[in-house]
Amino acid sequence: YRATGSPAGGPAVEFLGASSQRLTLAGVAGLPTAANPGTVIAIVSRLRPVASAGLQHLWQYGQAAGLCARGMVVTSGDNIRSHLWSGGITETRSPRGQGLRVVAHSYDGTRESLFVDGVDYASADVALTTGTSEGVAVGSNLTAGEFGNFLLVRLFGYSRVLTAAEWEQVMEHARIAYGVQ
């Protein structure tokens, strides 16, 4: 925890790519699963992918057994990617770098979308098989691997897909509260 870790001077949780720096939560309701819609959003800063690390998780949820987990990762190539253990969306056109970012994945029951700074950069029809949720891991995958290196300013979720007007509210909040461009 850093009391003044966010770029705007407020609090943030720092993850440095190590096993001792991860958060886990059990029994989180409302996450996108199977036919249940939802949106998970994180405001992050200082994404620092390490070339030799491969995937570095911002978060992951679902069930590790049977490859039934969904998450958001930064790859060694500095791409923000939605990640399902058995496949996923990779997007290389999204903004890169260590600046403040609003990253999200949204699922409407049949289609997943990857958002960066409020823009839908990639969408695909997927069967979101997350199994019986074991919970959420932040800063790693569910099995305590693939550790992320970033500052988490805010993490929040919705048990629905956001409308365009709601996305504008999220981005306006990010601009006012944290200085997202």
Side-chain angles (χ1 to χ4, degrees), residues 8-177:
V13 178
E14 184 175 28
F15 296 90
L16 295 172
S19 62
S20 62
Q21 297 163 345
R22 67 188 291 259
L23 297 173
T24 58
L25 302 164
V28 178
L31 294 169
T33 59
N36 299 318
T39 304
V40 180
I41 302 170
I43 299 175
V44 296
S45 180
R46 205 201 66 211
L47 297 171
R48 292 184 181 172
V50 178
S52 63
L55 300 179
Q56 297 174 61
H57 279 81
L58 301 175
W59 74 79
Q60 189 176 57
Y61 69 91
Q63 180 179 346
L67 305 179
C68 293
R70 170 65 68 187
M72 288 293 279
V73 297
V74 177
T75 69
S76 59
D78 201 18
N79 296 317
I80 297 170
R81 177 182 180 192
S82 172
H83 180 244
L84 177 66
W85 271 349
S86 60
I89 299 171
T90 300
E91 180 51 47
T92 58
R93 294 176 302 137
S94 63
R96 299 177 180 204
Q98 297 181 21
L100 199 59
R101 298 277 180 239
V102 179
V103 296
H105 92 90
S106 186
Y107 183 69
D108 69 3
T110 58
R111 189 163 189 79
E112 181 186 32
S113 296
L114 169 63
F115 289 85
V116 179
D117 297 336
V119 176
D120 184 349
Y121 275 95
S123 293
D125 289 336
V126 296
L128 194 61
T129 55
T130 54
T132 304
S133 182
E134 295 174 354
V136 176
V138 180
S140 75
N141 66 19
L142 288 171
T143 60
E146 300 174 336
F147 302 103
N149 189 348
F150 61 97
L151 286 168
L152 176 66
V153 177
R154 184 155 187 194
L155 178 67
F156 47 109
Y158 299 86
S159 58
R160 66 186 186 289
V161 172
L162 300 184
T163 65
E166 289 171 324
W167 262 112
E168 187 52 44
Q169 289 175 341
V170 167
M171 291 309 300
E172 185 66 17
H173 167 74
R175 281 188 283 277
I176 292 169

